[in-house]
Amino acid sequence: MKKNILLGVIVLLLAGTNVTAQKSSSFNSFSYTTALGIKLYPGSGGAAVTLKYFVKKNTALEALGFAWERGGRITGLYEFHWDIPNAPGLKWYAGPGAHIGFYNDKYYNGIRDGKGSYASIGLDGVIGLDYKFKNIPLNLSADWQPSFDFGNERYSGFGGNFGGIAARYTF
């Protein structure tokens, strides 16, 4: 599955860089308004579709649809972005968020225990770096996204293994 996601990102990036008739306003700029792509989560072994939209110059909303072998999460983040001096295109960001998770524990830790499926809600935080290339419609980011779940005995409490690396097409 990871190979298919990576292949999809590469195809998306190549298709975006070959389009010259309708360049986005972000093509020759270090800024962008909207970006769509894939975020890989090495700590949890999953991937997410990510959509980031700037509502103001330094404020963005990010939606993430995450999937992994035992379920998925839908997360919304409200991010504040700040420029890093003497580093055009590079910003750091932080902000709060929330998520809802759906989990299938038919096989928990490799043991079939028959406890079935769970749902939980939670709060998120995020801190990271965001870089927009100037001459191509590509944005890269890396972040840490700790969360706190309000769920059952298996999915409750602090989770520090979320966070990852994203590649997005900007427009």
Side-chain angles (χ1 to χ4, degrees):
M1 181 173 158
K2 288 182 185 180
K3 289 181 183 179
N4 290 340
I5 292 170
L6 184 58
L7 180 61
V9 170
I10 292 169
V11 169
L12 178 68
L13 295 175
L14 290 175
T17 57
N18 289 329
V19 175
T20 58
Q22 295 182 348
K23 289 182 183 175
S24 70
S25 60
S26 73
F27 190 82
N28 290 320
S29 170
F30 283 119
S31 64
Y32 63 96
T33 303
T34 307
L36 176 65
I38 299 291
K39 183 174 182 180
L40 302 177
Y41 289 86
S44 59
V49 173
T50 169
L51 175 66
K52 186 181 269 196
Y53 176 75
F54 279 85
V55 292
K56 295 180 183 175
K57 182 181 177 188
N58 293 320
T59 308
L61 298 173
E62 184 174 3
L64 298 154
F66 172 75
W68 65 308
E69 62 190 17
R70 286 195 206 130
R73 302 168 50 139
I74 299 169
T75 304
L77 299 169
Y78 190 79
E79 301 170 349
F80 301 96
H81 288 247
W82 295 276
D83 291 328
I84 296 178
N86 301 320
L90 185 61
K91 296 177 181 253
W92 74 279
Y93 61 95
H99 70 270
I100 182 166
F102 305 96
Y103 310 100
N104 180 354
D105 277 348
K106 188 169 150 182
Y107 296 98
Y108 183 71
N109 287 337
I111 301 168
R112 182 179 172 91
D113 64 7
K115 292 195 177 186
S117 300
Y118 302 97
S120 70
I121 60 170
L123 299 175
D124 292 77
V126 66
I127 185 165
L129 295 171
D130 186 272
Y131 182 74
K132 165 61 179 78
F133 290 88
K134 183 175 182 179
N135 293 319
I136 59 174
L138 176 62
N139 159 252
L140 299 176
S141 68
D143 61 35
W144 180 50
Q145 188 182 326
S147 62
F148 191 91
D149 274 307
F150 302 97
N152 62 22
E153 69 277 358
R154 288 196 183 157
Y155 296 101
S156 182
F158 178 77
N161 65 336
F162 278 93
I165 301 165
R168 300 180 194 91
Y169 177 81
T170 63
F171 42 120

